[in-house]
Every structure is written in structure tokens, then in C-alpha cells.
Amino acid sequence: MRNNFWLNAFLILMTVLILAACGTQQEDETENTPEDPATEEPETNDETTGGSTEGEMEPDIQQISDETYRYTLENQTGEPQTFEFTSSQRYDFSLANENGEEVFLFSAVSTYLQALGEENLDQGDQLSYEFEVPPLDLEPGTYELTAWLTPRQGETYKVTTEHVVE
């Protein structure tokens, strides 16, 4: 009986130590960083249009139909770019009212697979994502639609346009 007590105490102690050690490793993101996308933040303008600028990543947003938009990111840096992701989410978008208050955030109502991923973008290539603004109970008016890339680190390449609710 006494040996059973010490064996149980030892097992409990080992379990606590193992559980305490799980997840305590701190990752230093300054070491072993992957190829970072361009660090210069592009200007965020309404209705950003095409046209390539040598040396930069070019974000763009286009309205396809009343509620459907296409977010694209074109590599004009002159070298390949790699984006790492911590989930299946690659982009996000939000709507803000005339006061700048966020009234909708896509990722707040979405679920994503928790899996590491990577997107490689060669010079001149582009990533393209179509999304639909869901039916929302919003007052009629003009809203600011902002879309951006969601990499693990680095620039997010935000771009903004108007979204009209009638």
C-alpha cells in the first residue's frame, strides 16, 4: 500500500511536469524568418486600380457584381515572395460605417482549418480571392470595404473601396 502511494505520487508529479512544459516554448520570430514580403506599406486609396509599380506588391479590389468583390495581390518586386499562414484563412475583409466604426468582420463569422500553409508568388504572378458580402441588416448608405491578406507575419496589403447599401 505504501509503495502504491509513492508510485501514484510520482506519476502525478510527472504528469504535472509534462503538462506544464507543453506549450511553453517561445518562438523567436526574429530568427529563421522566411522571405518576408515587401516591408513598405502601400497606400490605401478608394478604388485602387491596376497599373504595376516596379518594386512593390500591388493590392487591388474590384467589384464583380452588386455583392461580389475580387481581392488580388500582384508581385512586382522583381523576386519571388512567400507568404506563410497559420490556418486555411488567406484573406479577410470588413465593412465600416461613415463614422469609421467596424460593422462587419468576415473572420468573426467564419471558421478555418487550423493547418499551416504557404503561398508562393513569383514575379508578375498574383493571388486572387473572390468573396461575397453577406446579406446584412445595415442602414442604407455608403460603407468602407477593406480587404487584406492574413499571413503569419509581414505586410497585410490592405486595400479599400466603397460598398453601397440601398
Side-chain angles (χ1 to χ4, degrees), residues 7-26:
L7 178 62
N8 287 337
F10 177 75
L11 290 175
I12 290 172
L13 178 63
M14 291 306 294
T15 303
V16 168
L17 288 175
I18 290 171
L19 290 175
C22 290
T24 60
Q25 179 182 3
Q26 291 183 343

Side-chain angles (χ1 to χ4, degrees), residues 47 61-70 130-133 145 161-164:
E47 290 295 331
I61 190 166
Q62 299 172 333
Q63 187 169 10
I64 307 301
S65 66
D66 286 345
E67 303 297 325
T68 305
Y69 293 84
R70 179 182 298 126
E130 283 189 16
F131 59 90
E132 187 174 320
V133 176
L145 173 67
T161 191
E162 290 182 348
H163 177 72
V164 178

Side-chain angles (χ1 to χ4, degrees), residues 11 93 109:
L11 290 175
F93 71 92
V109 296

Side-chain angles (χ1 to χ4, degrees), residues 89-158:
Q89 181 185 16
R90 297 296 186 258
Y91 68 93
D92 204 353
F93 71 92
S94 67
L95 285 173
N97 63 19
E98 293 173 348
N99 297 327
E101 299 167 337
E102 187 175 271
V103 296
F104 177 76
L105 178 63
F106 181 64
S107 60
V109 296
S110 303
T111 57
Y112 302 97
L113 180 64
Q114 296 300 307
L116 297 177
E118 183 176 277
E119 296 285 349
N120 296 305
L121 198 55
D122 290 330
Q123 164 61 28
D125 287 349
Q126 62 179 232
L127 296 174
S128 181
Y129 304 102
E130 283 189 16
F131 59 90
E132 187 174 320
V133 176
L136 302 167
D137 188 24
L138 297 175
E139 296 290 323
T142 301
Y143 292 82
E144 185 175 83
L145 173 67
T146 304
W148 61 93
L149 200 65
T150 58
R152 182 175 68 88
Q153 62 186 23
E155 179 62 49
T156 58
Y157 304 105
K158 287 187 177 185

Side-chain angles (χ1 to χ4, degrees), residues 26-99:
Q26 291 183 343
E27 187 175 315
D28 186 4
E29 291 189 14
T30 60
E31 294 179 13
N32 301 325
T33 56
E35 267 186 42
D36 285 330
T39 57
E40 189 175 308
E41 185 170 334
E43 289 186 24
T44 303
N45 295 324
D46 286 350
E47 290 295 331
T48 301
T49 58
S52 299
T53 305
E54 186 66 35
E56 295 182 1
M57 297 294 288
E58 292 290 325
D60 187 27
I61 190 166
Q62 299 172 333
Q63 187 169 10
I64 307 301
S65 66
D66 286 345
E67 303 297 325
T68 305
Y69 293 84
R70 179 182 298 126
Y71 171 74
T72 57
L73 183 63
E74 185 173 355
N75 181 2
Q76 292 298 319
T77 63
E79 53 191 53
Q81 298 293 315
T82 301
F83 299 98
E84 292 183 349
F85 299 91
T86 58
S87 70
S88 61
Q89 181 185 16
R90 297 296 186 258
Y91 68 93
D92 204 353
F93 71 92
S94 67
L95 285 173
N97 63 19
E98 293 173 348
N99 297 327

